[in-house]
């Protein structure tokens, strides 16, 4: 994944430096922004492969920034926030965030999450058909009866995992371990939430 561009958005310069140092050591190209307005400018200029986005920022917060990005792009977004309430996490997922990490967090865990997301997004091949559903993995497109369905990155990952294991009974824990990685420490209800939204969209 060396050379992939990651946009790090946080109003705290110290936090940006910590993240940039850990990711830079892995060969990633880091782009920094101090708030949502600057983030959207850098997003248009640089076209990053992944965005790490803080929630509480001046001028434009992470929620509005994520909402604006999702109007034109499905780039993976990891939300960072000091707010660890379940409702905040659900809001983030509803806006199209792919991961949600509460501060304080381990930079090494963050790097592992970034690597896992980028690895999966670049390791997808073939066009799969499941009844009326077509999954075009190279294009990351999902169609039902020929009509394209707008899925978040994590919803798409979940659909691919479920389709790859068609006919297999999967526990919430197994889905978390494979779609969210073994480093994920969130609630298993995250699976229920994503399955529900995925069903509604399909």
């Amino acid at each position: 994944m060396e050379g992939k561009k990651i946009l790090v958005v946080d109003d705290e310069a110290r936090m940006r430096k910590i993240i940039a140092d850990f990711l830079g050591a892995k060969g990633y190209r880091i782009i920094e922004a101090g708030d949502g307005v600057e983030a959207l400018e850098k997003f248009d200029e640089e076209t990053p492969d992944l965005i790490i986005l803080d929630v509480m920022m001046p001028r434009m917060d992470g929620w509005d920034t994520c909402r604006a990005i999702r109007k034109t792009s499905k780039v993976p977004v990891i939300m960072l926030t000091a707010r660890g309430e379940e409702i905040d996490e659900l809001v983030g997922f509803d806006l199209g965030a792919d991961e949600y990490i509460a501060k304080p967090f381990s930079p090494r865990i963050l790097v592992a999450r970034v690597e896992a997301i980028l690895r999966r997004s670049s390791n997808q091949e073939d066009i799969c058909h499941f009844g009326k559903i077509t999954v075009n993995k190279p294009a990351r497109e999902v169609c039902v009866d020929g009509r394209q369905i707008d899925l978040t990155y994590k919803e798409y990952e979940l659909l691919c995992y479920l389709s790859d294991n068609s006919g297999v009974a999967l526990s919430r824990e197994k889905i978390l371990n494979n779609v969210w990685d073994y480093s994920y420490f969130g609630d298993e209800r995250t699976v229920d939430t994503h399955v529900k939204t995925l069903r509604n969209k399909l």
Side-chain angles (χ1 to χ4, degrees):
M1 296 305 165
E2 186 172 341
K4 291 282 188 179
K5 290 190 290 186
I6 298 178
L7 175 58
V8 179
V9 189
D10 198 302
D11 59 324
E12 296 182 30
R14 177 177 169 275
M15 180 61 67
R16 294 200 306 271
K17 185 178 187 310
I18 291 173
I19 296 173
D21 286 347
F22 274 84
L23 290 173
K26 293 288 186 176
Y28 295 108
R29 295 170 55 193
I30 308 302
I31 308 154
E32 295 185 28
D35 57 54
V37 174
E38 185 181 2
L40 294 180
E41 294 173 355
K42 294 289 180 69
F43 175 74
D44 290 335
E45 294 170 1
E46 302 285 349
T47 315
D49 298 289
L50 182 143
I51 300 173
I52 297 174
L53 180 63
D54 187 36
V55 171
M56 305 302 291
M57 298 183 296
R59 294 211 291 173
M60 179 184 287
D61 65 20
W63 303 137
D64 289 339
T65 305
C66 185
R67 186 180 290 110
I69 289 170
R70 280 290 174 259
K71 289 180 179 178
T72 60
S73 173
K74 295 182 180 179
V75 61
V77 174
I78 297 178
M79 303 289 288
L80 297 180
T81 179
R83 300 170 65 177
E85 295 295 327
E86 178 184 344
I87 186 63
D88 293 323
E89 185 172 348
L90 294 176
V91 168
F93 287 139
D94 187 56
L95 290 176
D98 302 290
E99 295 282 1
Y100 191 102
I101 302 178
K103 297 177 180 178
F105 58 87
S106 163
R108 290 182 177 85
I109 292 297
L110 176 62
V111 171
R113 300 270 187 93
V114 167
E115 290 180 328
I117 288 178
L118 291 177
R119 183 170 58 249
R120 288 196 300 268
S121 65
S122 65
N123 191 34
Q124 295 168 345
E125 303 174 355
D126 303 329
I127 297 177
C128 305
H129 301 277
F130 304 93
K132 298 180 180 180
I133 301 173
T134 300
V135 181
N136 185 332
K137 291 186 177 181
R140 289 192 69 251
E141 290 181 352
V142 176
C143 295
V144 177
D145 276 342
R147 182 171 61 90
Q148 186 171 335
I149 306 299
D150 186 26
L151 300 180
T152 67
Y153 182 86
K154 192 56 66 177
E155 288 166 354
Y156 174 79
E157 288 286 293
L158 176 60
L159 176 60
C160 286
Y161 180 69
L162 293 176
S163 63
D164 289 343
N165 291 274
S166 179
V168 179
L170 300 170
S171 65
R172 290 182 180 85
E173 182 181 8
K174 189 167 185 178
I175 294 173
L176 276 175
N177 288 341
N178 286 276
V179 179
W180 277 265
D181 301 311
Y182 289 93
S183 59
Y184 183 77
F185 296 107
D187 196 297
E188 288 187 353
R189 284 174 296 182
T190 294
V191 174
D192 296 345
T193 300
H194 280 75
V195 168
K196 182 178 179 180
T197 57
L198 183 58
R199 280 175 173 166
N200 289 338
K201 289 183 178 181
L202 295 177

